[in-house]
């Protein structure tokens, strides 16, 4: 699950912040899985059914995998001083090899492929913004920011930019050699940084239109980007007032940062059996943020997929099942976006639906179902939503709808006409009193206090929620692997294209980062 309000990299953190490099072709092994209908032993297996597949799910098996994953996250300790599975780290490479080797052992049942893709990775080593000789406490570097000139402090006057700084004409000539102060809103942070750079600014500061701090990402790096900070509305207000009154405010900006392109991989496993023209697809993300080991986010979803994939091998399927472990989710849905971007149209229509499983075991959980609706999402999304609802109801459990707003890997799918949905148990949001009545737990506390933090360890998992949701994942797989009867057909007609467009307009996020 991506961030709602990002805070990037404290001084010592080698935070990796990335965006997808454009126009790059996969370097290796990028083929879609080559589906084969196997005439062998699979016919001896019973056809999958929900109850039997659910019955194979146990807390013990999940917990064992979680402990293994934490050990793998510790492989990054040399480089990061703490466990993490961020892309490019030993912990992430270890995660990929764990997933890959587990599936390779099931190679009579699955066709396995890895899809390598380039990810722009940014690291901020140190930063500082001084205004009027005082440290701006709420200043945070934007993701993928370039360094200041020669990675040294640069001095200048703050120059208030007109409007929202979305047009070149908003930047007065006095910006040249100085530090642009730009209000958040209307256009992406990356556009503001670009305009500031073109106008000759030595750094840019985007201040919030709300009281709180503002963080996000510049997105795809551009040559004209300058070192860019976010600043809280509260902290910016007195300086904005002074500049409007015609006073001069001096500032000094320092950013020691680096942006580079690294290669990372998605892993895809598809059943050899089952109709290859009608695939049920599901995914979780293999990576974590740099701040912690990510055992709930998204170790839980990734391991749920691995366990369900393992248990499925004792059954036969009518429809093909395709599992995906995405990389670079935390940097902005890089892996899933890449996958859908390079998917030819004739392959796109074979994916009947995509189910996203990101954070299934939050300690102060709610049973959340993405509120996917056919009016604004590809037709079939609502049927999927209702499958989850029916399961919770049947088990005497409560559920709550959450916005389907682009915060996880379903985003690329629904933007490309593929029905999608999923379940989650909550990230940094605060549990309400009403939700405590529905789910137990504590009100006024985040669903996951260890969201994107060092304490997202094995102890952060609620095993009750995890086992239950893994059974629901098994139910979703078994149901659609067995039959897609009555589930809306895929067509690339006007209706589904329009639906995708309507969604895109309403979406607030693209994965981890606010970009606007
Ligand atoms: C499949 O079923 C067999 C026989 O019941 C069992 O021994 C085996 O552990 C099962 N496989 C998996 C992956 O659970
Ligand atoms: C579901 O919510 C109701 C309140 O609407 C509550 O009384 C009940 O205990 C909840 N069920 C569970 C299983 O928590
Ligand atoms: C998980 O949640 C259940 C239900 O709220 C609670 O009874 C249990 O103590 C929790 N377990 C852990 C390990 O936090
Ligand atoms: Zn996640």
């Amino acid at each position: 699950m991506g961030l709602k309000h990002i805070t990037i990299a404290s001084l010592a953190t080698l935070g990796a912040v990335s965006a997808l490099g454009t126009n790059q072709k996969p370097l290796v092994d990028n083929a879609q899985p080559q589906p084969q209908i196997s005439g062998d032993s699979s016919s001896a297996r019973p056809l999958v059914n929900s109850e039997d597949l659910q019955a194979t799910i146990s807390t013990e098996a999940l917990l064992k995998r979680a402990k293994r994953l934490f050990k793998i996250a510790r492989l990054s300790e040399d480089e990061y001083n703490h466990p993490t599975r961020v892309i490019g780290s030993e912990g992430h490479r270890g995660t990929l090899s764990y997933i890959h080797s587990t599936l390779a052992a099931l190679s009579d049942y699955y066709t396995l492929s890895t899809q390598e893709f380039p990810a722009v990775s940014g690291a901020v080593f140190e930063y500082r913004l001084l205004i009027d000789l005082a440290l701006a406490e709420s200043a945070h570097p934007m993701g993928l920011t370039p360094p200041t000139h020669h990675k040294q402090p640069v001095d200048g006057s703050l120059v208030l930019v007109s409007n929202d700084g979305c047009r070149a004409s908003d930047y007065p000539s006095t910006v040249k050699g100085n530090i642009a102060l730009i209000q958040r809103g209307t256009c992406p942070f990356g556009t503001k940084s670009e305009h500031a750079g073109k106008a000759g600014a030595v750094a840019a500061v985007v201040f919030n239109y709300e009281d709180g701090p503002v963080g996000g990402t510049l997105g795809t790096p551009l040559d004209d980007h300058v070192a860019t900070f976010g600043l809280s509305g509260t902290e910016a207000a007195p300086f904005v007032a002074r500049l409007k009154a015609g006073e001069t405010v001096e500032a000094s900006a320092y950013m020691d940062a680096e942006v580079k392109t690294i290669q990372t991989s998605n892993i895809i496993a598809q059943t050899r059996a089952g109709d290859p023209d009608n695939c049920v697809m599901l995914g979780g993300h293999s990576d974590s943020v740099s701040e912690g080991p990510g055992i709930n986010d998204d170790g839980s979803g990734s391991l749920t997929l691995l366990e369900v994939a393992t248990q499925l091998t004792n059954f036969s399927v009518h429809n093909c099942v395709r599992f995906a472990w995405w990389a670079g989710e935390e940097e902005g849905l890089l892996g899933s976006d890449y996958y859908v971007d390079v998917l030819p149209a004739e392959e796109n229509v074979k994916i009947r639906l995509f189910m996203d499983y990101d954070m299934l075991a939050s300690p102060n959980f709610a049973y959340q179902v993405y509120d996917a609706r056919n009016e604004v999402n590809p037709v079939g999304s609502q049927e999927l939503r209702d499958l989850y609802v029916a399961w919770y109801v049947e088990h005497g459990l409560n559920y709550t709808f959450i916005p389907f707003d682009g915060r996880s890997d379903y985003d690329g799918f629904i933007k490309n006409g593929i029905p999608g949905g999923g379940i989650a148990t909550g990230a940094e949001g605060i549990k309400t009193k009403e939700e405590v009545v529905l789910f137990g737990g504590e009100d006024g506390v985040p669903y996951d206090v260890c969201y994107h933090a060092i304490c997202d360890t094995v102890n952060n998992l609620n095993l009750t929620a995890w086992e239950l949701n893994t059974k629901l994942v098994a139910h979703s797989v078994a149901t659609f692997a067995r039959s897609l009867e009555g589930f809306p057909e895929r067509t690339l007609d006007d209706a589904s294209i329009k639906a995708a467009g309507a969604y895109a307009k309403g979406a607030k996020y693209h994965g981890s980062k606010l970009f606007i």
Side-chain angles (χ1 to χ4, degrees):
M1 177 72 67
L3 270 174
K4 203 161 189 176
H5 299 290
I6 184 175
T7 51
I8 300 172
S10 60
L11 295 184
T13 308
L14 299 171
V17 184
S18 313
L20 177 60
T22 49
N23 298 327
Q24 302 228 34
K25 287 279 167 266
L27 298 183
V28 293
D29 194 5
N30 181 42
Q32 294 302 313
Q34 293 305 307
Q36 303 164 15
I37 307 226
S38 123
D40 61 18
S41 57
S42 68
S43 49
R45 300 169 174 129
L47 177 62
V48 68
N49 72 81
S50 178
E51 289 307 321
D52 288 353
L53 188 60
Q54 287 183 57
T56 65
I57 302 305
S58 73
T59 303
E60 294 69 35
L62 292 171
L63 185 57
K64 197 168 153 209
R65 291 193 188 281
K67 287 178 176 167
R68 173 117 185 231
L69 194 65
F70 183 72
K71 276 201 188 127
I72 292 169
R74 293 195 58 187
L75 297 172
S76 298
E77 282 176 345
D78 278 352
E79 196 185 350
Y80 288 80
N81 295 317
H82 59 254
T84 171
R85 298 182 304 104
V86 68
I87 56 167
S89 69
E90 285 305 316
H92 188 242
R93 278 189 281 275
T95 303
L96 292 178
S97 76
Y98 170 49
I99 294 168
H100 198 277
S101 63
T102 304
L103 295 163
L106 308 171
S107 65
D108 63 330
Y109 194 84
Y110 292 107
T111 315
L112 184 57
S113 64
T114 58
Q115 181 183 46
E116 194 167 320
F117 62 93
V120 179
S121 166
V124 174
F125 303 102
E126 208 174 345
Y127 66 89
R128 193 180 314 123
L129 180 66
L130 302 175
I131 305 180
D132 237 8
L133 300 176
L135 187 68
E137 300 278 354
S138 69
H140 278 291
M142 290 282 176
L144 294 179
T145 178
T148 42
H149 191 59
H150 291 320
K151 303 184 177 180
Q152 294 298 317
V154 291
D155 300 330
S157 305
L158 281 183
V159 177
L160 188 63
V161 166
S162 307
N163 306 311
D164 286 334
C166 293
R167 286 173 309 192
S169 58
D170 291 337
Y171 294 73
S173 60
T174 48
V175 164
K176 194 168 165 54
N178 286 310
I179 298 171
L181 183 63
I182 314 160
Q183 178 158 310
R184 177 184 174 198
T186 311
C187 63
F189 301 130
T191 305
K192 296 177 194 226
S193 184
E194 185 189 11
H195 281 311
K198 281 192 169 142
V202 294
V205 177
V206 178
F207 66 96
N208 209 347
Y209 46 66
E210 298 168 331
D211 289 347
V214 58
T217 181
L218 297 186
T220 307
L222 299 174
D223 287 345
D224 284 312
H225 280 168
V226 285
T228 302
F229 298 81
L231 190 67
S232 76
T234 308
E235 197 166 14
F239 302 119
V240 172
R242 284 170 52 189
L243 292 170
K244 283 186 174 162
E247 287 180 41
T248 301
V249 179
E250 295 301 330
S252 171
Y254 167 51
M255 187 87 76
D256 179 3
E258 187 177 276
V259 177
K260 62 180 182 189
T261 300
I262 60 167
Q263 297 293 323
T264 186
S265 309
N266 295 325
I267 296 177
I268 314 289
Q270 177 165 323
T271 54
R272 291 182 182 275
D275 177 358
D277 293 335
N278 287 285
C279 286
V280 178
M281 190 163 183
L282 62 161
H285 64 91
S286 62
D287 61 311
S288 75
V289 293
S290 61
E291 286 81 356
I295 302 301
N296 183 34
D297 183 11
D298 183 29
S300 60
S302 287
L303 299 177
T304 284
L305 259 63
L306 208 51
E307 185 61 19
V308 171
T310 302
Q311 298 301 336
L312 185 62
T313 59
N314 265 350
F315 300 91
S316 68
V317 291
H318 269 154
N319 300 309
C320 100
V321 181
R322 190 182 296 171
F323 293 85
W325 288 265
W326 311 118
E329 191 269 357
E330 298 291 5
E331 283 71 26
L333 314 181
L334 305 186
S336 54
D337 273 358
Y338 184 82
Y339 181 85
V340 184
D341 280 351
V342 301
L343 193 67
E346 67 271 19
E347 288 297 326
N348 175 311
V349 293
K350 292 176 185 172
I351 304 173
R352 294 291 297 275
L353 73 163
F354 174 72
M355 306 183 284
D356 189 60
Y357 296 123
D358 189 2
M359 303 184 70
L360 302 182
S362 301
N364 194 28
F365 65 87
Y367 292 126
Q368 303 179 333
V369 178
Y370 288 122
D371 192 6
R373 282 169 293 117
N374 286 348
E375 307 92 77
V376 285
N377 304 126
V379 172
S381 302
Q382 193 161 329
E383 282 78 357
L384 173 59
R385 180 194 77 175
D386 294 345
L387 172 122
Y388 301 125
V389 168
W391 192 89
Y392 285 124
V393 170
E394 186 196 325
H395 289 79
L397 298 162
N398 297 309
Y399 64 91
T400 179
F401 283 138
I402 55 161
F404 198 45
D405 59 4
R407 281 191 68 186
S408 191
D409 291 304
Y410 54 79
D411 198 53
F413 287 84
I414 56 176
K415 279 182 179 155
N416 284 276
I418 300 167
I423 54 169
T425 50
E428 82 289 2
I430 305 293
K431 197 177 224 179
T432 63
K433 286 202 163 59
E434 294 71 33
E435 287 177 323
V436 170
V437 179
L438 298 176
F439 307 109
E442 262 191 277
D443 67 86
V445 174
Y447 303 109
D448 183 353
V449 282
C450 292
Y451 175 66
H452 286 188
I454 196 162
C455 57
D456 187 5
T457 62
V458 174
N459 290 333
N460 190 40
L461 302 167
N462 184 291
L463 299 175
T464 309
W466 195 15
E467 187 196 80
L468 209 121
N469 277 332
T470 301
K471 288 188 172 185
L472 177 47
V473 172
H475 172 65
S476 69
V477 169
T479 302
F480 295 120
R482 191 179 170 90
S483 172
L484 283 159
E485 219 182 288
F487 195 81
E489 296 283 340
R490 283 297 313 284
T491 51
L492 286 181
D493 64 7
D494 286 347
S496 69
I497 291 161
K498 226 174 17 202
Y503 159 78
K505 271 189 228 108
K508 286 185 198 159
Y509 303 99
H510 184 63
S512 348
K513 311 294 193 307
L514 282 173
F515 61 96
I516 194 165

PDB file of all heavy atoms in Angstrom, residues 56 106 307 309-314, ligand 1:
ATOM      1  N   THR A  56      -7.171 -25.700   3.245  1.00  0.00           N
ATOM      2  CA  THR A  56      -5.717 -25.938   3.252  1.00  0.00           C
ATOM      3  C   THR A  56      -4.947 -24.794   3.913  1.00  0.00           C
ATOM      4  O   THR A  56      -3.737 -24.905   4.123  1.00  0.00           O
ATOM      5  CB  THR A  56      -5.163 -26.079   1.813  1.00  0.00           C
ATOM      6  OG1 THR A  56      -5.318 -24.825   1.131  1.00  0.00           O
ATOM      7  CG2 THR A  56      -5.871 -27.176   1.033  1.00  0.00           C
ATOM      8  N   LEU A 106       7.443 -25.974  -8.094  1.00  0.00           N
ATOM      9  CA  LEU A 106       6.102 -26.387  -8.535  1.00  0.00           C
ATOM     10  C   LEU A 106       6.005 -26.285 -10.057  1.00  0.00           C
ATOM     11  O   LEU A 106       4.942 -26.005 -10.610  1.00  0.00           O
ATOM     12  CB  LEU A 106       5.044 -25.474  -7.887  1.00  0.00           C
ATOM     13  CG  LEU A 106       5.122 -25.312  -6.364  1.00  0.00           C
ATOM     14  CD1 LEU A 106       4.161 -24.227  -5.889  1.00  0.00           C
ATOM     15  CD2 LEU A 106       4.815 -26.639  -5.664  1.00  0.00           C
ATOM     16  N   GLU A 307       1.343 -18.971  -0.589  1.00  0.00           N
ATOM     17  CA  GLU A 307       0.708 -20.115   0.079  1.00  0.00           C
ATOM     18  C   GLU A 307      -0.475 -20.626  -0.751  1.00  0.00           C
ATOM     19  O   GLU A 307      -0.630 -21.833  -0.935  1.00  0.00           O
ATOM     20  CB  GLU A 307       0.269 -19.689   1.493  1.00  0.00           C
ATOM     21  CG  GLU A 307      -0.294 -20.801   2.342  1.00  0.00           C
ATOM     22  CD  GLU A 307       0.690 -21.963   2.605  1.00  0.00           C
ATOM     23  OE1 GLU A 307       1.911 -21.782   2.445  1.00  0.00           O
ATOM     24  OE2 GLU A 307       0.202 -23.061   2.959  1.00  0.00           O
ATOM     25  N   ALA A 309      -0.874 -20.273  -3.960  1.00  0.00           N
ATOM     26  CA  ALA A 309      -0.307 -20.882  -5.176  1.00  0.00           C
ATOM     27  C   ALA A 309       0.183 -22.291  -4.877  1.00  0.00           C
ATOM     28  O   ALA A 309       0.011 -23.210  -5.679  1.00  0.00           O
ATOM     29  CB  ALA A 309       0.836 -20.022  -5.717  1.00  0.00           C
ATOM     30  N   THR A 310       0.784 -22.469  -3.717  1.00  0.00           N
ATOM     31  CA  THR A 310       1.279 -23.795  -3.327  1.00  0.00           C
ATOM     32  C   THR A 310       0.115 -24.775  -3.128  1.00  0.00           C
ATOM     33  O   THR A 310       0.131 -25.895  -3.642  1.00  0.00           O
ATOM     34  CB  THR A 310       2.106 -23.679  -2.024  1.00  0.00           C
ATOM     35  OG1 THR A 310       3.176 -22.770  -2.256  1.00  0.00           O
ATOM     36  CG2 THR A 310       2.660 -25.025  -1.600  1.00  0.00           C
ATOM     37  N   GLN A 311      -0.884 -24.344  -2.405  1.00  0.00           N
ATOM     38  CA  GLN A 311      -2.016 -25.233  -2.098  1.00  0.00           C
ATOM     39  C   GLN A 311      -2.862 -25.550  -3.330  1.00  0.00           C
ATOM     40  O   GLN A 311      -3.465 -26.622  -3.416  1.00  0.00           O
ATOM     41  CB  GLN A 311      -2.897 -24.607  -1.004  1.00  0.00           C
ATOM     42  CG  GLN A 311      -2.175 -24.401   0.326  1.00  0.00           C
ATOM     43  CD  GLN A 311      -1.621 -25.695   0.911  1.00  0.00           C
ATOM     44  OE1 GLN A 311      -2.104 -26.792   0.608  1.00  0.00           O
ATOM     45  NE2 GLN A 311      -0.590 -25.584   1.731  1.00  0.00           N
ATOM     46  N   LEU A 312      -2.883 -24.625  -4.264  1.00  0.00           N
ATOM     47  CA  LEU A 312      -3.698 -24.834  -5.472  1.00  0.00           C
ATOM     48  C   LEU A 312      -3.217 -26.033  -6.292  1.00  0.00           C
ATOM     49  O   LEU A 312      -3.983 -26.629  -7.055  1.00  0.00           O
ATOM     50  CB  LEU A 312      -3.670 -23.546  -6.317  1.00  0.00           C
ATOM     51  CG  LEU A 312      -4.555 -23.501  -7.570  1.00  0.00           C
ATOM     52  CD1 LEU A 312      -6.051 -23.636  -7.207  1.00  0.00           C
ATOM     53  CD2 LEU A 312      -4.311 -22.209  -8.363  1.00  0.00           C
ATOM     54  N   THR A 313      -1.937 -26.383  -6.115  1.00  0.00           N
ATOM     55  CA  THR A 313      -1.351 -27.432  -6.965  1.00  0.00           C
ATOM     56  C   THR A 313      -1.989 -28.808  -6.756  1.00  0.00           C
ATOM     57  O   THR A 313      -1.756 -29.705  -7.556  1.00  0.00           O
ATOM     58  CB  THR A 313       0.172 -27.559  -6.743  1.00  0.00           C
ATOM     59  OG1 THR A 313       0.408 -27.878  -5.372  1.00  0.00           O
ATOM     60  CG2 THR A 313       0.887 -26.277  -7.100  1.00  0.00           C
ATOM     61  N   ASN A 314      -2.758 -28.971  -5.696  1.00  0.00           N
ATOM     62  CA  ASN A 314      -3.454 -30.255  -5.495  1.00  0.00           C
ATOM     63  C   ASN A 314      -4.802 -30.304  -6.210  1.00  0.00           C
ATOM     64  O   ASN A 314      -5.553 -31.253  -6.028  1.00  0.00           O
ATOM     65  CB  ASN A 314      -3.648 -30.525  -4.003  1.00  0.00           C
ATOM     66  CG  ASN A 314      -2.527 -31.397  -3.443  1.00  0.00           C
ATOM     67  OD1 ASN A 314      -1.727 -31.945  -4.194  1.00  0.00           O
ATOM     68  ND2 ASN A 314      -2.489 -31.529  -2.135  1.00  0.00           N
TER      69      ASN A 314
HETATM   70  C1  LIG B   1      -1.446 -32.399  -1.701  1.00  0.00           C
HETATM   71  O1  LIG B   1      -2.135 -33.515  -1.205  1.00  0.00           O
HETATM   72  C2  LIG B   1      -1.292 -34.525  -0.734  1.00  0.00           C
HETATM   73  C3  LIG B   1      -2.160 -35.734  -0.423  1.00  0.00           C
HETATM   74  O2  LIG B   1      -3.254 -35.360   0.376  1.00  0.00           O
HETATM   75  C4  LIG B   1      -0.532 -34.018   0.452  1.00  0.00           C
HETATM   76  O3  LIG B   1       0.338 -35.000   0.964  1.00  0.00           O
HETATM   77  C5  LIG B   1       0.286 -32.804   0.030  1.00  0.00           C
HETATM   78  O4  LIG B   1       0.907 -32.232   1.128  1.00  0.00           O
HETATM   79  C6  LIG B   1      -0.596 -31.779  -0.636  1.00  0.00           C
HETATM   80  N1  LIG B   1       0.203 -30.763  -1.240  1.00  0.00           N
HETATM   81  C7  LIG B   1       0.221 -29.547  -0.800  1.00  0.00           C
HETATM   82  C8  LIG B   1       1.062 -28.578  -1.544  1.00  0.00           C
HETATM   83  O5  LIG B   1      -0.419 -29.202   0.152  1.00  0.00           O
END
